[in-house]
Amino acid sequence: MNRCLWLFPVLLSSLTAAEPRWSHLSSRNGDLPAPGASTQQTGALVADLDRDGADDFVLGFRQTAPALVWYRRTGKGWDRYVIEKDFLTVEAGGAVHDIDGDGDPDVVFGGDWQSKEVWWWENPYPDFDPNISWKRHVIKKGGKTQHHDQVFGDFKNTGKPQIVFWNQGAKSLFIADIPADPRHTEAWLFAPVYSGEAGEKGDASGAFKYAEGTTAADIDGDGVVDLLAGIHRIVEASANRDRAGRRLRAVALV
């Protein structure tokens, strides 16, 4: 796998404007700082981490350190910051949310088939240093391995968002409320939303047979955010239950 980073930013335009124009930027040509020595760049996440109104992006790695690198948009291009200097086997996926409630977006990633953990990194805004890692916290520790994809949303309709993440080794989709004091809570309480087969087929050899993918949207227009995961839609089971007692059920889309 090529060690160079390729970036294709699109210039957004109005519906009446000309077609968007693409610019091809590559670390091979010096347009971007090289991400690192790893040839396995697994995770990619887009977010405005420094709250300047411009989207940045984060890359995750699992072959060598650093585990997470942030590309910060500047007036002259992109600057490389290290979010996690240590070696972690980061899986594809990732999510952004203000977990500790201090007004800036924090970052979540899960471990791959070699890891039993899901982590979040505390955004140090506005005190960024390109060479100092963000503080890492644990959401899940132990159990089964592989955590491909995470998403935040108020799926319980409680007025506060929760995190949902796949745990492929457990063949389960888990949901967890954000603790009252997340900075001092290591390993959150979580429960299964869905367990079992989710339509996964794997590749031609039968490998990689696991469900993946998560996103949030109000699909049925009832004002409550739904969860799409794998090929299933997870929806509220009963509108008659109170907010704290609602359960989620899976509805197959295909």
Side-chain angles (χ1 to χ4, degrees):
M1 188 178 296
N2 199 307
R3 294 187 182 183
C4 291
L5 173 66
W6 304 86
L7 178 66
F8 299 87
V10 61
L11 302 179
L12 299 180
S13 60
S14 69
L15 294 176
T16 59
E19 289 294 319
R21 296 191 305 170
W22 295 78
S23 297
H24 178 198
L25 306 180
S26 171
S27 59
R28 174 177 290 175
N29 302 327
D31 303 316
L32 300 157
S38 176
T39 59
Q40 296 190 20
Q41 301 162 12
T42 53
L45 190 62
V46 175
D48 180 9
L49 298 182
D50 56 4
R51 301 177 59 192
D52 67 349
D55 280 337
D56 312 305
F57 65 97
V58 176
L59 296 181
F61 311 89
R62 66 179 174 192
Q63 190 182 47
T64 61
L68 289 180
V69 169
W70 166 31
Y71 280 80
R72 186 180 188 184
R73 191 75 167 110
T74 69
K76 297 181 179 180
W78 300 89
D79 289 343
R80 176 184 178 275
Y81 286 68
V82 174
I83 291 180
E84 178 56 69
K85 65 178 179 60
D86 293 334
F87 169 68
L88 297 171
T89 57
V90 176
E91 179 59 282
V96 170
H97 184 71
D98 182 9
I99 292 175
D100 51 9
D102 63 354
D104 52 57
D106 305 302
V107 173
V108 172
F109 278 96
D112 68 2
W113 58 272
Q114 304 166 87
S115 171
K116 299 178 180 180
E117 297 187 345
V118 177
W119 315 279
W120 73 277
W121 283 264
E122 186 179 334
N123 190 331
Y125 175 89
D127 301 318
F128 299 116
D129 187 309
N131 301 309
I132 296 180
S133 293
W134 296 11
K135 186 173 183 179
R136 174 174 18 117
H137 303 271
V138 175
I139 292 176
K140 173 186 174 287
K141 186 173 185 178
K144 300 295 184 179
T145 64
Q146 195 172 18
H147 314 85
H148 193 313
D149 301 316
Q150 305 82 33
V151 67
F152 284 90
D154 185 10
F155 304 109
K156 297 181 180 180
N157 197 26
T158 63
K160 296 181 180 180
Q162 304 87 42
I163 184 173
V164 169
F165 60 90
W166 274 112
N167 186 185
Q168 279 80 9
K171 290 187 176 295
S172 295
L173 191 66
F174 290 111
I175 189 169
D177 292 297
I178 299 174
D181 186 6
R183 291 176 179 171
H184 300 95
T185 303
E186 297 296 310
W188 300 2
L189 296 176
F190 56 88
V193 172
Y194 177 82
S195 297
E197 299 293 328
E200 56 268 33
K201 297 180 179 179
D203 63 9
S205 69
F208 305 104
K209 189 176 180 180
Y210 50 79
E212 60 187 40
T214 55
T215 193
D218 180 8
I219 299 173
D220 50 9
D222 64 353
V224 178
V225 66
D226 301 309
L227 168 66
L228 273 79
I231 64 163
H232 285 78
R233 172 168 63 105
I234 313 299
V235 300
E236 294 287 353
S238 173
N240 296 322
R241 294 173 181 255
D242 62 25
R243 289 187 171 186
R246 286 187 174 184
R247 293 185 178 181
L248 301 171
R249 65 185 176 90
V251 177
L253 298 182
V254 294

